[in-house]
Amino acid sequence: SAVFYLLLALPISIADLSQRKIPNIYLQLYTYYVGALLIVNGVPNASFMLLVFLTLGLLSFSGVGMGDCKLLALVVLMLGLNELIEFEQLLIAILFTAFIEIVLRWGFSKVFPRTIAMAPAIFLGTSLYLATSGS
């Protein structure tokens, strides 16, 4: 599973960095993979998924792109998260890496970035979460 995750991380991140959007073809490939995982591992708790989708709705409302929200939903399903604390830790790791990206861009360009590509932060934050959670 880590191989497929890493194979899609690079083209999705490059596309997001260069075009500021994630092409749906990558998300479709990811969806097929996650769908197969759900068939094998089962679906998460419905109330937990409702909380995840409400959170993603709030993120979208606050300016996070729909491609980023869809990618984050697929990552949550791929990881098989089922508890609020796991989801919180994942979000904290992603937001931490996004913060680092903002600070680095600001430091190198001396201009505060108005937008950033979130896909690299999602993948790096997820990797950070996996490295620290023991999963």
Side-chain angles (χ1 to χ4, degrees):
S1 75
V3 173
F4 194 78
Y5 169 77
L6 292 174
L7 281 176
L8 280 178
L10 187 61
I12 289 173
S13 294
I14 290 171
D16 198 21
L17 285 167
S18 64
Q19 303 168 11
R20 286 290 197 257
K21 67 182 210 173
I22 301 172
N24 279 331
I25 187 68
Y26 295 130
L27 295 174
Q28 285 176 324
L29 291 172
Y30 220 131
T31 300
Y32 296 140
Y33 170 66
V34 170
L37 284 176
L38 292 176
I39 290 171
V40 172
N41 299 331
V43 294
N45 180 339
S47 60
F48 173 74
M49 287 312 298
L50 178 63
L51 176 71
V52 169
F53 289 125
L54 287 174
T55 303
L56 293 176
L58 286 172
L59 287 173
S60 176
F61 183 72
S62 66
V64 175
M66 279 308 297
D68 299 319
C69 290
K70 291 185 278 188
L71 178 60
L72 188 54
L74 289 170
V75 166
V76 168
L77 289 170
M78 180 198 71
L79 294 175
L81 302 183
N82 228 353
E83 294 184 28
L84 179 60
I85 188 73
E86 295 171 327
F87 183 54
E88 288 173 346
Q89 290 169 343
L90 175 65
L91 284 180
I92 288 169
I94 290 169
L95 292 174
F96 176 73
T97 54
F99 175 75
I100 298 291
E101 181 181 352
I102 290 168
V103 168
L104 289 174
R105 285 184 184 270
W106 189 17
F108 286 122
S109 70
K110 305 294 186 234
V111 176
F112 192 79
R114 294 185 56 147
T115 64
I116 63 167
M118 280 293 295
I122 291 171
F123 286 116
L124 290 172
T126 301
S127 299
L128 179 63
Y129 167 79
L130 289 171
T132 58
S133 70
S135 296

